[in-house]
Amino acid sequence: MGNWAVIAEYYSDTYRTEFICCGKETKGQALDELRAALHTFLPSKSIMEKRRQVYRYADRESYLVVIKGKLSEWKCTLRIAELVSDSTDPLVAERVRLEEVGAEETGGPQDRVPPGW
């Protein structure tokens, strides 16, 4: 099963990435959650929303949300992402398997839970 998430990326004093939701089984479920969040998501800071504009990127899986407040303007990118190690795409799964074999031999990073956790 795939493990899909909806994420928000924005700058607010520092660059931030927030998970809006995780654990969706299909890409379609994640896209539904993404589209629902477009008109409701607010950053982890106070903003008095006066106007919201939503721009769709050409891939149709990413959106730019622009919120204009009383004193400021805030921009955020909302998109979906799939956990690579749980991908149902055979090409991605094979690539991960090959990378894990190479990473184990070289001691490189892996997308896995270390033994004992």
Side-chain angles (χ1 to χ4, degrees), residues 3-94:
N3 191 358
W4 291 87
V6 178
I7 58 172
E9 299 173 321
Y10 61 92
Y11 182 83
S12 174
D13 299 329
T14 61
Y15 181 78
R16 298 178 186 266
T17 300
E18 290 183 25
F19 284 87
I20 296 172
C21 70
C22 299
K24 297 299 172 185
E25 292 183 15
T26 66
K27 185 177 183 179
Q29 289 174 340
L31 285 169
D32 290 343
E33 289 288 333
L34 169 66
R35 291 182 184 118
L38 292 175
H39 302 289
T40 59
F41 180 76
L42 288 172
S44 297
K45 67 177 196 172
S46 59
I47 187 168
M48 300 280 289
E49 182 178 339
K50 288 180 71 180
R51 181 178 179 192
R52 181 182 294 244
Q53 295 175 311
V54 177
Y55 296 87
R56 183 181 68 205
Y57 288 103
D59 66 3
R60 297 179 180 248
E61 295 176 1
S62 304
Y63 294 84
L64 174 66
V65 178
V66 179
I67 298 175
K68 294 184 181 182
K70 285 188 171 188
L71 302 173
S72 63
E73 182 177 275
W74 178 81
K75 298 174 186 88
C76 173
T77 301
L78 299 178
R79 62 183 65 186
I80 61 171
E82 182 183 22
L83 182 62
V84 173
S85 61
D86 288 347
S87 179
T88 57
D89 183 345
L91 294 174
V92 173
E94 179 63 18

Coordinates of all heavy atoms in Angstrom, one line a residue, residues 3-94:
N3 N 1.7 5.2 0.9 CA 1.6 6.0 2.0 C 1.7 7.5 1.6 O 2.8 8.0 1.5 CB 2.6 5.7 3.1 CG 2.3 6.3 4.4 OD1 1.4 7.1 4.6 ND2 3.2 6.0 5.4
W4 N 0.6 8.1 1.3 CA 0.5 9.4 0.7 C 0.3 10.5 1.8 O -0.4 10.2 2.8 CB -0.6 9.5 -0.3 CG -0.2 8.7 -1.5 CD1 -0.5 7.4 -1.8 CD2 0.4 9.2 -2.7 NE1 0.0 7.0 -3.0 CE2 0.5 8.1 -3.6 CE3 0.9 10.4 -3.1 CZ2 1.1 8.2 -4.8 CZ3 1.5 10.6 -4.3 CH2 1.6 9.5 -5.2
A5 N 0.8 11.7 1.6 CA 0.7 12.8 2.6 C 0.4 14.0 1.8 O 0.7 14.2 0.6 CB 2.0 12.9 3.4
V6 N -0.2 15.0 2.5 CA -0.4 16.3 2.0 C 0.6 17.2 2.8 O 0.5 17.2 4.1 CB -1.8 16.8 2.1 CG1 -2.0 18.2 1.6 CG2 -2.7 15.9 1.4
I7 N 1.4 18.0 2.2 CA 2.4 18.8 2.9 C 2.2 20.3 2.5 O 1.8 20.6 1.4 CB 3.8 18.4 2.7 CG1 4.2 18.4 1.2 CG2 4.1 17.0 3.3 CD1 5.6 18.1 0.9
A8 N 2.6 21.2 3.4 CA 2.6 22.6 3.2 C 4.0 23.1 3.4 O 4.7 22.7 4.3 CB 1.7 23.3 4.1
E9 N 4.5 23.9 2.4 CA 5.9 24.4 2.5 C 5.8 26.0 2.5 O 5.1 26.5 1.5 CB 6.7 23.9 1.4 CG 6.9 22.4 1.4 CD 7.6 21.9 0.2 OE1 7.4 22.4 -0.9 OE2 8.4 20.9 0.4
Y10 N 6.4 26.6 3.4 CA 6.3 28.1 3.4 C 7.5 28.7 4.3 O 8.1 27.9 5.0 CB 5.0 28.6 3.9 CG 4.6 28.2 5.4 CD1 5.0 29.0 6.4 CD2 4.0 27.0 5.6 CE1 4.6 28.7 7.7 CE2 3.6 26.7 6.9 CZ 4.0 27.5 8.0 OH 3.6 27.1 9.2
Y11 N 7.7 30.0 4.1 CA 8.7 30.7 4.9 C 8.0 31.6 5.9 O 7.2 32.4 5.6 CB 9.6 31.5 4.0 CG 10.7 32.2 4.7 CD1 11.9 31.5 5.0 CD2 10.6 33.5 5.1 CE1 12.9 32.1 5.7 CE2 11.6 34.1 5.8 CZ 12.8 33.4 6.1 OH 13.8 34.0 6.8
S12 N 8.4 31.4 7.2 CA 7.9 32.2 8.3 C 9.0 32.3 9.3 O 9.1 31.5 10.2 CB 6.6 31.6 8.9 OG 6.2 32.4 10.0
D13 N 9.9 33.3 9.2 CA 11.1 33.4 10.0 C 12.1 32.4 9.6 O 13.3 32.6 9.5 CB 10.8 33.3 11.5 CG 9.9 34.4 12.0 OD1 9.9 35.5 11.4 OD2 9.1 34.2 12.9
T14 N 11.7 31.1 9.4 CA 12.5 30.1 8.8 C 11.7 29.3 7.8 O 10.5 29.4 7.8 CB 13.0 29.1 10.0 OG1 11.8 28.5 10.5 CG2 13.8 29.8 11.0
Y15 N 12.3 28.5 7.0 CA 11.6 27.7 6.1 C 11.0 26.5 6.8 O 11.6 25.9 7.7 CB 12.6 27.1 5.0 CG 11.9 26.3 4.0 CD1 11.2 26.9 2.9 CD2 12.0 24.9 4.0 CE1 10.6 26.1 2.0 CE2 11.3 24.1 3.1 CZ 10.6 24.7 2.1 OH 10.0 24.0 1.1
R16 N 9.7 26.3 6.5 CA 8.9 25.3 7.3 C 8.3 24.3 6.3 O 7.8 24.7 5.2 CB 7.8 25.9 8.1 CG 8.4 26.9 9.2 CD 7.2 27.5 9.9 NE 7.7 28.5 10.8 CZ 7.9 28.3 12.1 NH1 7.7 27.1 12.6 NH2 8.4 29.2 12.9
T17 N 8.2 23.1 6.7 CA 7.4 22.0 6.0 C 6.5 21.4 7.1 O 6.9 21.0 8.1 CB 8.3 21.0 5.4 OG1 9.2 21.6 4.5 CG2 7.5 19.9 4.7
E18 N 5.2 21.5 6.8 CA 4.2 20.9 7.7 C 3.4 19.8 7.0 O 3.1 19.9 5.9 CB 3.2 22.0 8.2 CG 3.7 23.0 9.1 CD 2.6 24.0 9.6 OE1 1.4 23.6 9.6 OE2 3.0 25.1 9.9
F19 N 3.1 18.7 7.8 CA 2.2 17.7 7.2 C 0.8 18.1 7.6 O 0.5 18.2 8.8 CB 2.6 16.3 7.9 CG 3.8 15.7 7.3 CD1 5.0 16.0 7.8 CD2 3.7 14.8 6.2 CE1 6.2 15.4 7.3 CE2 4.8 14.3 5.7 CZ 6.1 14.5 6.2
I20 N 0.0 18.2 6.6 CA -1.4 18.5 6.8 C -2.2 17.2 7.2 O -3.0 17.2 8.1 CB -2.1 19.2 5.6 CG1 -1.4 20.6 5.4 CG2 -3.6 19.4 5.7 CD1 -1.8 21.3 4.1
C21 N -1.9 16.2 6.4 CA -2.4 14.8 6.7 C -1.4 13.8 6.2 O -0.7 14.1 5.3 CB -3.8 14.6 6.2 SG -3.9 14.5 4.4
C22 N -1.4 12.6 6.8 CA -0.5 11.5 6.4 C -1.3 10.3 6.4 O -2.4 10.2 6.9 CB 0.6 11.4 7.5 SG 1.7 12.8 7.7
G23 N -0.7 9.2 5.8 CA -1.3 7.9 5.8 C -2.4 7.6 4.8 O -3.2 6.7 5.0
K24 N -2.6 8.5 3.8 CA -3.6 8.2 2.8 C -3.2 7.0 2.0 O -2.0 6.9 1.6 CB -3.9 9.4 2.0 CG -4.4 10.6 2.8 CD -5.7 10.2 3.4 CE -6.2 11.3 4.4 NZ -7.4 10.9 5.1
E25 N -4.1 6.1 1.7 CA -3.7 4.9 1.0 C -3.5 5.1 -0.5 O -2.7 4.4 -1.2 CB -4.7 3.8 1.2 CG -4.7 3.3 2.6 CD -5.7 2.2 2.8 OE1 -6.2 1.6 1.9 OE2 -6.0 1.9 4.0
T26 N -4.2 6.1 -1.1 CA -4.1 6.3 -2.5 C -3.8 7.7 -2.9 O -4.0 8.6 -2.0 CB -5.4 5.9 -3.3 OG1 -6.5 6.8 -2.8 CG2 -5.9 4.5 -3.0
K27 N -3.3 7.9 -4.0 CA -3.0 9.2 -4.5 C -4.3 10.1 -4.6 O -4.3 11.2 -4.3 CB -2.3 9.1 -5.9 CG -1.8 10.4 -6.5 CD -1.1 10.2 -7.8 CE -0.6 11.4 -8.4 NZ 0.1 11.1 -9.6
G28 N -5.4 9.4 -5.0 CA -6.7 10.1 -5.2 C -7.1 10.6 -3.8 O -7.7 11.8 -3.7
Q29 N -7.0 9.9 -2.8 CA -7.4 10.3 -1.4 C -6.5 11.5 -1.0 O -7.1 12.5 -0.4 CB -7.2 9.2 -0.4 CG -8.2 8.1 -0.5 CD -7.9 6.9 0.4 OE1 -6.8 6.8 0.9 NE2 -8.9 6.1 0.7
A30 N -5.2 11.5 -1.3 CA -4.4 12.6 -1.0 C -4.7 13.8 -1.7 O -4.8 14.9 -1.2 CB -2.9 12.2 -1.2
L31 N -5.1 13.7 -3.0 CA -5.5 14.8 -3.8 C -6.8 15.4 -3.3 O -7.0 16.6 -3.3 CB -5.7 14.4 -5.3 CG -4.3 14.2 -6.1 CD1 -4.6 13.6 -7.4 CD2 -3.6 15.6 -6.2
D32 N -7.7 14.6 -2.9 CA -9.0 15.1 -2.3 C -8.7 15.9 -1.0 O -9.3 17.0 -0.8 CB -9.9 13.9 -1.9 CG -10.5 13.3 -3.2 OD1 -10.4 13.9 -4.3 OD2 -11.0 12.1 -3.0
E33 N -7.8 15.4 -0.2 CA -7.4 16.1 1.1 C -6.7 17.4 0.7 O -6.9 18.5 1.4 CB -6.5 15.3 1.9 CG -7.2 14.1 2.6 CD -8.1 14.6 3.7 OE1 -7.9 15.6 4.3 OE2 -9.1 13.8 4.0
L34 N -5.9 17.4 -0.3 CA -5.2 18.6 -0.8 C -6.2 19.7 -1.2 O -6.1 20.8 -0.8 CB -4.2 18.3 -1.9 CG -3.6 19.4 -2.7 CD1 -2.7 20.2 -1.8 CD2 -2.9 18.9 -3.9
R35 N -7.1 19.3 -2.0 CA -8.1 20.2 -2.6 C -9.0 20.8 -1.4 O -9.4 22.0 -1.5 CB -8.9 19.6 -3.7 CG -8.0 19.4 -4.9 CD -8.8 18.8 -6.1 NE -7.8 18.5 -7.1 CZ -7.6 17.3 -7.6 NH1 -8.2 16.2 -7.2 NH2 -6.7 17.1 -8.6
A36 N -9.3 20.0 -0.4 CA -10.0 20.5 0.7 C -9.3 21.5 1.5 O -9.8 22.4 2.1 CB -10.5 19.3 1.6
A37 N -7.9 21.3 1.6 CA -7.1 22.2 2.4 C -6.8 23.5 1.7 O -6.5 24.5 2.4 CB -5.8 21.5 2.7
L38 N -7.0 23.6 0.4 CA -6.7 24.8 -0.3 C -7.4 26.1 0.3 O -6.9 27.2 0.3 CB -7.0 24.7 -1.8 CG -6.2 23.7 -2.6 CD1 -6.7 23.6 -4.0 CD2 -4.7 24.2 -2.6
H39 N -8.6 25.9 0.7 CA -9.5 27.0 1.2 C -9.6 27.1 2.7 O -10.2 28.0 3.2 CB -10.8 26.9 0.5 CG -10.8 26.9 -1.0 ND1 -10.4 27.9 -1.7 CD2 -11.0 25.8 -1.8 CE1 -10.4 27.6 -3.0 NE2 -10.7 26.3 -3.1
T40 N -8.9 26.3 3.4 CA -9.0 26.3 4.9 C -7.6 26.4 5.6 O -7.5 26.8 6.7 CB -9.7 25.0 5.4 OG1 -9.0 23.9 5.0 CG2 -11.1 25.0 4.9
F41 N -6.5 25.9 4.9 CA -5.2 25.9 5.6 C -4.7 27.3 5.9 O -4.7 28.2 5.1 CB -4.2 25.1 4.7 CG -2.8 25.0 5.4 CD1 -2.6 24.1 6.4 CD2 -1.8 25.9 5.0 CE1 -1.4 24.1 7.0 CE2 -0.6 25.8 5.6 CZ -0.4 24.9 6.6
L42 N -4.2 27.4 7.2 CA -3.6 28.6 7.6 C -2.2 28.2 8.2 O -2.1 27.2 8.8 CB -4.4 29.3 8.7 CG -5.7 30.0 8.2 CD1 -6.6 30.5 9.4 CD2 -5.4 31.1 7.3
P43 N -1.3 29.2 8.1 CA 0.0 28.9 8.7 C 0.0 28.8 10.2 O -1.0 29.2 10.8 CB 0.9 30.0 8.2 CG -0.1 31.1 8.1 CD -1.4 30.5 7.6
S44 N 1.1 28.4 10.8 CA 1.3 28.3 12.2 C 1.6 29.6 12.8 O 2.5 29.8 13.6 CB 2.3 27.3 12.6 OG 2.0 26.0 12.1
K45 N 1.0 30.7 12.3 CA 1.2 32.0 12.9 C -0.1 32.7 12.6 O -1.0 32.4 11.8 CB 2.3 32.7 12.2 CG 2.1 33.1 10.7 CD 3.3 33.9 10.2 CE 2.9 34.5 8.9 NZ 3.9 35.4 8.5
S46 N -0.3 33.8 13.4 CA -1.6 34.5 13.3 C -1.6 35.4 12.1 O -0.6 36.1 11.8 CB -1.9 35.3 14.6 OG -0.8 36.2 14.7
I47 N -2.7 35.3 11.3 CA -2.8 36.2 10.2 C -4.3 36.4 10.0 O -5.2 35.5 10.2 CB -2.3 35.5 8.9 CG1 -2.3 36.5 7.7 CG2 -3.0 34.2 8.5 CD1 -1.5 36.1 6.5
M48 N -4.7 37.7 9.8 CA -6.1 38.1 9.6 C -6.4 38.1 8.1 O -6.0 39.0 7.4 CB -6.3 39.5 10.2 CG -6.0 39.6 11.7 SD -7.3 39.0 12.7 CE -8.5 40.3 12.5
E49 N -7.0 37.0 7.7 CA -7.2 36.8 6.2 C -8.3 37.7 5.7 O -9.4 37.8 6.2 CB -7.6 35.3 6.0 CG -7.8 35.0 4.5 CD -8.2 33.6 4.3 OE1 -7.9 32.7 5.2 OE2 -8.8 33.3 3.2
K50 N -7.9 38.5 4.7 CA -8.8 39.4 4.0 C -9.2 38.8 2.6 O -10.3 38.9 2.1 CB -8.3 40.8 3.8 CG -8.2 41.6 5.1 CD -7.6 42.9 4.8 CE -8.6 43.8 4.0 NZ -8.1 45.1 3.8
R51 N -8.2 38.1 2.0 CA -8.4 37.6 0.6 C -7.4 36.4 0.4 O -6.3 36.4 0.9 CB -8.0 38.7 -0.4 CG -8.2 38.2 -1.8 CD -8.0 39.4 -2.8 NE -8.1 38.9 -4.1 CZ -7.7 39.6 -5.2 NH1 -7.2 40.7 -5.0 NH2 -7.9 39.1 -6.4
R52 N -7.9 35.4 -0.3 CA -7.1 34.2 -0.6 C -7.2 33.9 -2.1 O -8.2 33.9 -2.7 CB -7.7 33.0 0.2 CG -6.9 31.7 0.0 CD -7.6 30.5 0.7 NE -7.5 30.7 2.1 CZ -6.9 29.9 2.9 NH1 -6.3 28.9 2.5 NH2 -6.8 30.2 4.2
Q53 N -6.0 33.7 -2.7 CA -5.9 33.3 -4.1 C -5.2 32.0 -4.2 O -4.2 31.7 -3.4 CB -5.1 34.4 -4.9 CG -5.8 35.7 -4.9 CD -4.9 36.7 -5.6 OE1 -3.8 36.9 -5.3 NE2 -5.5 37.4 -6.6
V54 N -5.7 31.1 -5.0 CA -5.1 29.8 -5.2 C -4.7 29.7 -6.7 O -5.5 29.9 -7.6 CB -6.1 28.7 -4.9 CG1 -5.5 27.3 -5.1 CG2 -6.6 28.8 -3.4
Y55 N -3.4 29.3 -6.9 CA -2.8 29.1 -8.2 C -2.5 27.6 -8.3 O -1.9 27.0 -7.4 CB -1.6 29.9 -8.4 CG -1.8 31.4 -8.4 CD1 -1.7 32.1 -7.2 CD2 -2.0 32.1 -9.5 CE1 -1.9 33.5 -7.1 CE2 -2.2 33.5 -9.5 CZ -2.2 34.1 -8.3 OH -2.3 35.5 -8.3
R56 N -2.9 27.0 -9.5 CA -2.6 25.6 -9.7 C -1.3 25.5 -10.6 O -1.2 26.2 -11.6 CB -3.7 25.0 -10.4 CG -3.5 23.5 -10.6 CD -4.7 22.8 -11.3 NE -4.7 23.4 -12.7 CZ -5.8 23.4 -13.4 NH1 -7.0 23.0 -13.0 NH2 -5.8 23.9 -14.6
Y57 N -0.4 24.7 -10.2 CA 0.8 24.4 -11.0 C 0.4 23.5 -12.1 O -0.6 22.8 -12.0 CB 1.9 23.8 -10.2 CG 2.6 24.8 -9.2 CD1 2.3 24.8 -7.9 CD2 3.5 25.7 -9.7 CE1 2.9 25.6 -7.0 CE2 4.1 26.6 -8.8 CZ 3.8 26.6 -7.5 OH 4.4 27.5 -6.6
A58 N 1.2 23.4 -13.2 CA 0.9 22.6 -14.4 C 0.8 21.1 -14.0 O 0.0 20.4 -14.7 CB 1.9 22.8 -15.4
D59 N 1.4 20.6 -13.0 CA 1.4 19.2 -12.7 C 0.0 18.8 -12.1 O -0.3 17.6 -11.9 CB 2.5 18.8 -11.8 CG 2.4 19.4 -10.4 OD1 1.5 20.2 -10.1 OD2 3.4 19.2 -9.6
R60 N -0.8 19.8 -11.7 CA -2.1 19.6 -11.1 C -2.1 18.8 -9.8 O -3.1 18.3 -9.4 CB -3.1 18.9 -12.1 CG -3.4 19.7 -13.3 CD -4.3 19.0 -14.3 NE -4.5 19.8 -15.5 CZ -5.7 20.3 -15.7 NH1 -6.7 20.1 -15.0 NH2 -5.8 21.1 -16.8
E61 N -0.9 18.7 -9.2 CA -0.8 18.1 -7.9 C -0.1 19.0 -6.9 O 0.2 18.6 -5.8 CB 0.1 16.8 -8.0 CG -0.6 15.8 -8.9 CD 0.2 14.5 -9.1 OE1 1.4 14.5 -8.6 OE2 -0.2 13.6 -9.8
S62 N 0.1 20.3 -7.3 CA 0.7 21.3 -6.4 C 0.0 22.6 -6.6 O -0.5 22.9 -7.7 CB 2.2 21.5 -6.8 OG 2.9 20.3 -6.7
Y63 N -0.2 23.4 -5.5 CA -0.9 24.6 -5.6 C -0.1 25.7 -4.8 O 0.5 25.4 -3.8 CB -2.3 24.5 -5.0 CG -3.2 23.6 -5.8 CD1 -3.2 22.2 -5.6 CD2 -4.1 24.2 -6.7 CE1 -4.0 21.4 -6.3 CE2 -4.9 23.3 -7.4 CZ -4.9 22.0 -7.2 OH -5.7 21.2 -8.0
L64 N -0.2 26.9 -5.2 CA 0.3 28.1 -4.5 C -0.9 28.8 -3.9 O -1.8 29.2 -4.6 CB 1.1 29.0 -5.4 CG 1.6 30.3 -4.8 CD1 2.7 30.0 -3.7 CD2 2.2 31.2 -5.9
V65 N -0.8 29.0 -2.6 CA -1.9 29.7 -1.9 C -1.3 31.0 -1.4 O -0.3 31.1 -0.8 CB -2.4 28.9 -0.7 CG1 -3.5 29.7 0.1 CG2 -3.0 27.6 -1.2
V66 N -2.0 32.1 -1.8 CA -1.6 33.5 -1.4 C -2.7 34.0 -0.5 O -3.8 34.2 -1.0 CB -1.3 34.4 -2.6 CG1 -0.9 35.8 -2.2 CG2 -0.3 33.8 -3.6
I67 N -2.3 34.4 0.7 CA -3.3 35.0 1.6 C -2.9 36.4 1.9 O -1.7 36.6 2.3 CB -3.4 34.2 2.9 CG1 -3.8 32.7 2.7 CG2 -4.3 34.9 3.9 CD1 -3.8 31.8 3.9
K68 N -3.8 37.3 1.6 CA -3.5 38.7 1.9 C -4.2 39.1 3.2 O -5.4 38.9 3.3 CB -4.0 39.6 0.7 CG -3.2 39.3 -0.5 CD -3.5 40.2 -1.6 CE -2.6 39.8 -2.8 NZ -2.9 40.6 -4.0
G69 N -3.4 39.6 4.1 CA -4.0 40.0 5.4 C -4.1 41.5 5.5 O -3.9 42.2 4.5
K70 N -4.4 42.0 6.7 CA -4.5 43.4 6.9 C -3.2 44.1 6.7 O -3.1 45.2 6.1 CB -5.0 43.7 8.3 CG -6.5 43.5 8.5 CD -6.9 44.0 9.8 CE -8.5 43.9 9.9 NZ -9.0 44.5 11.1
L71 N -2.1 43.5 7.2 CA -0.8 44.1 7.1 C 0.3 43.3 6.3 O 1.3 43.9 6.0 CB -0.2 44.3 8.5 CG -1.1 45.1 9.5 CD1 -0.6 45.1 10.9 CD2 -1.3 46.6 8.9
S72 N 0.0 42.1 6.0 CA 1.0 41.3 5.3 C 0.4 40.4 4.2 O -0.8 40.2 4.1 CB 1.8 40.5 6.3 OG 0.9 39.6 7.0
E73 N 1.3 39.8 3.5 CA 0.9 38.8 2.5 C 1.7 37.5 2.8 O 2.9 37.6 3.1 CB 1.2 39.3 1.1 CG 0.8 38.3 0.0 CD 1.1 38.9 -1.4 OE1 0.2 39.6 -1.9 OE2 2.1 38.6 -1.9
W74 N 1.0 36.4 2.7 CA 1.7 35.1 3.1 C 1.5 34.2 1.9 O 0.4 34.1 1.3 CB 1.0 34.6 4.3 CG 1.5 33.2 4.8 CD1 2.6 33.0 5.5 CD2 0.8 32.0 4.5 NE1 2.7 31.6 5.7 CE2 1.6 31.0 5.1 CE3 -0.3 31.6 3.9 CZ2 1.3 29.7 5.1 CZ3 -0.7 30.3 3.8 CH2 0.1 29.3 4.4
K75 N 2.5 33.4 1.5 CA 2.5 32.4 0.4 C 2.9 31.1 0.9 O 3.8 30.9 1.7 CB 3.4 32.9 -0.7 CG 3.1 34.2 -1.3 CD 4.2 34.6 -2.3 CE 3.9 36.0 -2.8 NZ 4.5 37.0 -1.9
C76 N 2.2 30.1 0.4 CA 2.5 28.7 0.8 C 2.2 27.8 -0.4 O 1.3 28.0 -1.2 CB 1.5 28.3 1.9 SG 1.5 26.6 2.4
T77 N 3.1 26.7 -0.5 CA 2.9 25.7 -1.5 C 2.3 24.5 -0.9 O 2.9 24.0 0.1 CB 4.2 25.4 -2.2 OG1 4.8 26.5 -2.8 CG2 4.0 24.3 -3.3
L78 N 1.2 24.0 -1.4 CA 0.6 22.8 -0.9 C 0.7 21.7 -2.0 O 0.5 22.0 -3.2 CB -0.9 23.0 -0.6 CG -1.3 24.0 0.5 CD1 -2.8 24.1 0.6 CD2 -0.7 23.7 1.8
R79 N 1.2 20.5 -1.6 CA 1.4 19.4 -2.5 C 1.2 18.1 -1.9 O 1.1 18.0 -0.7 CB 2.7 19.6 -3.2 CG 3.9 19.4 -2.2 CD 5.2 19.6 -2.9 NE 5.3 21.0 -3.3 CZ 6.3 21.5 -4.0 NH1 7.3 20.7 -4.4 NH2 6.3 22.7 -4.4
I80 N 1.2 17.1 -2.7 CA 1.1 15.7 -2.2 C 2.5 15.1 -2.3 O 3.3 15.5 -3.2 CB 0.0 14.8 -2.9 CG1 0.3 14.7 -4.4 CG2 -1.3 15.4 -2.6 CD1 -0.6 13.7 -5.0
A81 N 2.7 14.1 -1.5 CA 4.0 13.4 -1.5 C 3.8 11.9 -1.1 O 2.9 11.6 -0.3 CB 5.0 14.0 -0.6
E82 N 4.5 11.0 -1.7 CA 4.4 9.6 -1.4 C 5.7 9.1 -0.7 O 6.8 9.5 -1.1 CB 4.2 8.8 -2.7 CG 4.1 7.3 -2.4 CD 3.9 6.5 -3.7 OE1 4.4 6.9 -4.8 OE2 3.4 5.4 -3.6
L83 N 5.5 8.3 0.3 CA 6.6 7.7 1.0 C 7.2 6.7 0.1 O 6.6 5.7 -0.3 CB 6.1 7.0 2.3 CG 7.2 6.4 3.2 CD1 8.2 7.4 3.7 CD2 6.6 5.7 4.3
V84 N 8.5 6.9 -0.3 CA 9.1 6.1 -1.4 C 9.2 4.7 -1.0 O 8.9 3.8 -1.8 CB 10.5 6.7 -1.7 CG1 11.3 5.8 -2.6 CG2 10.4 8.1 -2.2
S85 N 9.5 4.3 0.2 CA 9.7 2.9 0.6 C 8.4 2.2 0.6 O 8.4 0.9 0.5 CB 10.3 2.8 2.0 OG 9.5 3.4 3.0
D86 N 7.2 2.8 0.6 CA 5.9 2.2 0.5 C 5.3 2.3 -0.8 O 4.1 2.0 -1.0 CB 5.0 2.7 1.6 CG 5.4 2.3 3.0 OD1 6.2 1.4 3.1 OD2 4.9 2.8 3.9
S87 N 6.0 2.8 -1.8 CA 5.4 3.0 -3.1 C 4.9 1.8 -3.8 O 5.4 0.7 -3.7 CB 6.5 3.6 -4.1 OG 5.9 3.9 -5.3
T88 N 3.7 1.9 -4.4 CA 3.1 0.8 -5.2 C 3.6 0.8 -6.6 O 3.3 -0.1 -7.4 CB 1.6 0.9 -5.2 OG1 1.2 2.2 -5.7 CG2 1.0 0.8 -3.8
D89 N 4.3 1.9 -7.0 CA 4.9 1.9 -8.4 C 6.0 1.0 -8.5 O 7.0 1.1 -7.8 CB 5.3 3.3 -8.7 CG 5.8 3.5 -10.1 OD1 6.1 2.5 -10.8 OD2 6.0 4.7 -10.5
P90 N 6.0 -0.1 -9.3 CA 7.1 -1.1 -9.4 C 8.4 -0.5 -9.7 O 9.4 -0.9 -9.2 CB 6.6 -2.0 -10.5 CG 5.2 -1.7 -10.8 CD 4.9 -0.4 -10.3
L91 N 8.5 0.6 -10.5 CA 9.8 1.2 -10.9 C 10.4 1.9 -9.7 O 11.6 1.8 -9.4 CB 9.6 2.2 -12.0 CG 9.2 1.6 -13.4 CD1 8.9 2.7 -14.4 CD2 10.3 0.6 -13.9
V92 N 9.6 2.6 -8.9 CA 10.1 3.2 -7.7 C 10.5 2.2 -6.7 O 11.6 2.3 -6.1 CB 9.0 4.2 -7.1 CG1 9.4 4.7 -5.8 CG2 8.7 5.3 -8.1
A93 N 9.7 1.2 -6.5 CA 10.0 0.1 -5.5 C 11.4 -0.6 -5.9 O 12.2 -0.9 -5.0 CB 8.9 -0.9 -5.4
E94 N 11.6 -0.9 -7.1 CA 12.8 -1.5 -7.6 C 14.0 -0.6 -7.4 O 15.0 -1.0 -6.9 CB 12.7 -1.9 -9.0 CG 13.9 -2.6 -9.6 CD 14.2 -3.9 -8.9 OE1 13.4 -4.5 -8.3 OE2 15.4 -4.4 -9.1

